[in-house]
Amino acid sequence: MKIKSIISSLFILLLVNSASFAQAIDGSQLWFTNQQHSAKVRTAIPTIVCIQEESATFQIIKEELAESIPALGIGEVSFTQKTAKNIVLVGTLKSKAIASQLNEDELTKLGNDGFIIRRSKGEGTILIAANTEFGTLYGVYEFLRLIKTSSSDLAEIDRIEIPSYHRRVLNHWDNLDGTVERGYAGHSIWKWDELPSTISPRYEAYARANASIGINGAVLNNVNANPDILTKDYLEKVKVIAGIFRPYGIKVYLSVNFSSPKELGGLENSDPLNDQVKAWWNDKADEIYSMIPDFGGFLVKANSEGLPGPQDYGRTHADGANMLADALAPHGGIVMWRAFVYNPDGDDRAKQAYKEFVPLDGQFRKNVIIQLKNGPIDFQPREPFSPMFGAMKYTTLMPEFQITQEYLGFSDHLVFLSTLFEECLNTDTYAEGPNTTIARITDGEVFNDSITAIAGVANIGEDTNWCGHHFAQSNWYAFGRLAWNNKLSSAEIANEWLKQTFTQDADFVAQMQTVMLQSREAVVDYMTPIGLHHLMGWSHHHGPEPWCEIPGARPDWLPTYYHKADSAGIGFDRSTTGSEAVLQYAEPLRSIYDNISTCPEMYLLWFHHLSWDYILHNGNTLWDELCYKYSSGVDRVKVFQQTWDRMEGKIDVQRFKDVQARLAIQATEAMWWRDACLLYFQTFSGKPIPMELERPVHVLEKLKQIKFDMTHHN
């Protein structure tokens, strides 16, 4: 009987493990998939956990520790409220055990979300402490991440972490009908037609994933907002989601339509200086906070791409934003007002946000934050930074990055966007002299902003793996990690994500980290090298259409407006002899960008229209260099394919084959981009493609006939 019992137990254990592995390989577990202990962590991790506080958040902490530590092979966890040696001690100063270990001064500097993880030399106890339960939760997630990814032993830990930004927000471009604008992972995870009675388990899984990387806010709906989101019926649905998010420290925000008082309230207009309009917003804010006491605030897209706004009534962006800010201020809410504006006035589109907003510097309320895309156009594979960063010294600015790959191959292309985010954050604007980086401008270091924030446009959908491409999960992860610590390197983030998502295998991690770090540059090369931009297809923004002409369309919606290819050369002249966009940058960047010989090559055709025969620093003509860049991008994707093929057997079969299939699509589409752009631009340059390069596999006229089917990607 004893032997039969052992065999039965082993069989049950095998089934459990098999079931767990089967669940993990579909990507649904995100960066919780691989529960492997880092080989570098050799010092014993205690399995007795002392928590003296109780709340919904502390219950989550207990569940995370109870599930993760055994899964890591460390041992079963037991909980106690009594202190002892060799324990994990978790909590805030409300805990007597924590108060006996730390003084109040040590914790004060941590703010609401920071934490301490400490184990002194020779002591077994690990301390995880914070001012709040949410800070404690973040500390626990960091502790578990260290066990999985640390490159050194944890015998001595003395880690203090304070997030770079107060508000770390995902913007969902999800519509009330379940579609997702620029979403490539299926329909929305918010099931508005089922709420508030039916609650998807994905809501809590989403909250957990965000909390694990420090994201503490979510805008649930599209910036092209439907006014109905503010009706009582929808607010009841939002209330349910907010309740699920609350124990994870995540605030809910809503995008609002500026015409809501007229559309929903039946008012004559939505003029921000109209007392009735102000009263309507005040009442609406009171209603929202009576239902959702920790509501975060509003995100607003106004007077942009046809949406209503204060300018409809002869008012300014400051007038509109301040009216909403006044309604939210008594409740602690904020207004995130987007600076994505461009009017058809004939001037360079890259200059327009600066022209509209910089004159308003200092006129916005303290609880208004201007949300600013990283570049002056629109989430291109590469742009110089928006010159508004640093130019507005009395207004809080928040960077907006696009996690979803609207202009970078959708969910078919492996593109690690951390390098894009990092490039922007580390850029020196020189607005207040050297080392006035965008990170330091936006995290409060330079201008001492009272509220700081950062946003990422989410790439999340109802696909089993959440993001469409398994590697697209890394961009959600990277945004959260950089929002928490804007000084992290992309190499560190890739290393963490790979180990938690796939395997601890050193060869796999090293090779795929290299692929990830090179992937964005490869995309720039096969799509828009040397400062080219906006060459993509009409409306859907997928694939190359540098020739695109739409009768009646605004010029600045068309690629020809941006590349300006002709027999003389190519590029947009934004120098002092052109549109003068360079004048919006501080010195010495103004002069550097203005001078062809000093302008960084990666921005050359962004700021200058150059002859096809222009000689670059490496001795190549501009035409030849374009050919080499496009070919290099294609070649690099082929290397990515070869690298991934060598990973077979190191990870599960399902994800291996999924990624392999996506890389095949990416390689095909990279050649599509290369051929379309080079064959089209060749009609202007009249020059041959260098003989040593692979010849185009397409014919230009046939490429022009391709009609992209969006249903393939939604």
Side-chain angles (χ1 to χ4, degrees), residues 708-714:
F708 180 68
D709 180 10
M710 268 298 288
T711 58
H712 171 65
H713 285 274
N714 257 333

Side-chain angles (χ1 to χ4, degrees), residues 8 18 71 117 124 131 136 228 265 391 418 448 461 495 534 602 639 641 658 686:
S8 298
S18 299
I117 303 178
N131 281 315
T136 308
D228 287 348
S418 180
N448 198 29
N495 182 283
H534 212 283
M602 61 184 178
V639 171
Q641 284 185 287
D658 285 350

Side-chain angles (χ1 to χ4, degrees), residues 497-522:
W497 180 79
L498 286 164
K499 288 179 177 178
Q500 294 174 91
T501 305
F502 288 106
T503 177
Q504 294 271 352
D505 182 275
D507 180 59
F508 177 92
V509 172
Q511 293 204 53
M512 291 314 299
Q513 181 190 56
T514 299
V515 168
M516 291 172 73
L517 295 178
Q518 293 179 357
S519 60
R520 183 263 183 140
E521 201 65 40

Side-chain angles (χ1 to χ4, degrees), residues 549-574:
E549 291 291 346
I550 303 294
R554 280 173 47 172
D556 58 357
W557 288 348
L558 300 171
T560 50
Y561 171 90
Y562 297 95
H563 65 68
K564 301 195 184 303
D566 56 26
S567 60
I570 187 172
F572 197 119
D573 186 0
R574 294 188 168 100

